Amino acid sequence: MKNKLLFLGPPGAGKGTQASLFCKKYNVEHLSTGDLLREEVSTGSVLGLKASEIMNKGELVSDELVLSIVEGRLISEKKGWLLDGFPRNLIQANSLIHLLEKINQPLEAVVLIKIDDQFLIERLLARGRQDDKEQVIINRLKIYRDKTTPLINLYEKQGILKVIDGNADIDVVFSCIEKALS
Ligand code: AP5
């Protein structure tokens, strides 16, 4: 099973859900920048407070902050890893290329989970996280389309992109991911 991975997709596509299942089953480190940022917010630090303001608007926090979080974790990682929510723009994607060269651990596959807008809005409103308000969801989706979707082309050209239909039940989506990564 491949174990140097990146999960990509719009908010609510199921990246976090599928990444957790995969990492538990295959003993891979789950590196979710959203979860790591929310951990920082919960400490009440100055950095956390700044990040929380940005996250509550559905904007992206600074590349420097996110990169420093990911770099520290990846460098110390001995088993496989799964990046969830990073990279989110071309600057982060280029930084990741350099970082992975430095640690000599090439990315093996990128899983793109696709989902219809109507489903993702329903899912996120039902979850009710701080940033799951309708206007914020719409902004997160716009930022995904503007800043993150250009990465799809990049990974497609590298021949490592696996496209998965995220509209199905959780276990069905998981089976498709396992098949694509085996
Ligand atoms: P982040 O936490 O990464 O949020 P996101 O990308 O918007 O993703 P979500 O967690 O909303 O969706 P998901 O695809 O993981 O779906 P999930 O499995 O949770 O980022 C939050 C914020 O942090 C960003 O807006 C930004 O401000 C900041 N940030 C993070 N990374 C950054 C970066 N690299 N650079 C700059 N800023 C960054 O599922 C959603 C819901 O649907 C759940 O309730 C789940 O139970 C349900 N569900 C999942 N799958 C299914 C299914 N198949 N059927 C039915 N329900 C399902």
Side-chain angles (χ1 to χ4, degrees):
M1 187 61 74
K2 294 187 173 58
N3 69 358
K4 294 180 186 62
L5 305 167
L6 193 168
F7 279 18
L8 205 62
K15 304 179 294 294
T17 304
Q18 297 298 332
S20 296
L21 290 171
F22 189 90
C23 290
K24 201 166 171 203
K25 183 161 177 184
Y26 294 103
N27 192 27
V28 170
E29 185 71 15
H30 182 187
L31 295 175
S32 157
T33 42
D35 287 349
L36 293 168
L37 286 165
R38 281 183 288 277
E39 260 172 42
E40 185 66 40
V41 171
S42 71
T43 66
S45 70
V46 177
L47 209 62
L49 285 176
K50 261 195 197 164
S52 129
E53 269 179 39
I54 298 168
M55 292 164 81
N56 290 342
K57 287 192 256 173
E59 308 282 336
L60 296 185
V61 305
S62 78
D63 295 329
E64 291 73 22
L65 173 58
V66 175
L67 279 166
S68 67
I69 292 177
V70 174
E71 183 159 7
R73 304 268 171 157
L74 266 185
I75 281 177
S76 59
E77 198 44 61
K78 297 283 176 272
K79 52 185 182 179
W81 39 263
L82 189 164
L83 295 167
D84 161 14
F86 173 90
R88 256 179 153 91
N89 59 29
L90 286 168
I91 294 177
Q92 294 182 9
N94 283 325
S95 304
L96 179 64
I97 291 172
H98 294 305
L99 175 58
L100 295 181
E101 273 171 11
K102 193 160 90 181
I103 61 173
N104 199 21
Q105 294 192 33
L107 188 57
E108 293 175 330
V110 174
V111 171
L112 169 65
I113 307 179
K114 285 196 155 179
I115 177 181
D116 298 340
D117 287 3
Q118 149 213 355
F119 283 125
L120 73 82
I121 292 174
E122 273 169 26
R123 282 185 192 175
L124 295 179
L125 288 175
R127 179 176 62 183
R129 206 168 70 190
Q130 187 82 9
D131 55 347
D132 287 340
K133 301 189 173 70
E134 193 157 359
Q135 278 316 307
V136 181
I137 296 169
I138 290 169
N139 197 31
R140 284 159 60 197
L141 196 52
K142 182 180 179 311
I143 289 190
Y144 172 75
R145 295 215 166 101
D146 293 349
K147 309 243 162 108
T148 312
T149 54
L151 307 189
I152 296 171
N153 231 343
L154 183 84
Y155 297 123
E156 197 168 23
K157 278 189 195 148
Q158 291 177 18
I160 54 172
L161 187 73
K162 316 277 178 195
V163 183
I164 301 291
D165 178 7
N167 293 304
D169 286 347
I170 291 174
D171 53 340
V172 174
V173 178
F174 188 64
S175 301
C176 293
I177 293 176
E178 283 185 299
K179 210 169 147 198
L181 297 179
S182 62

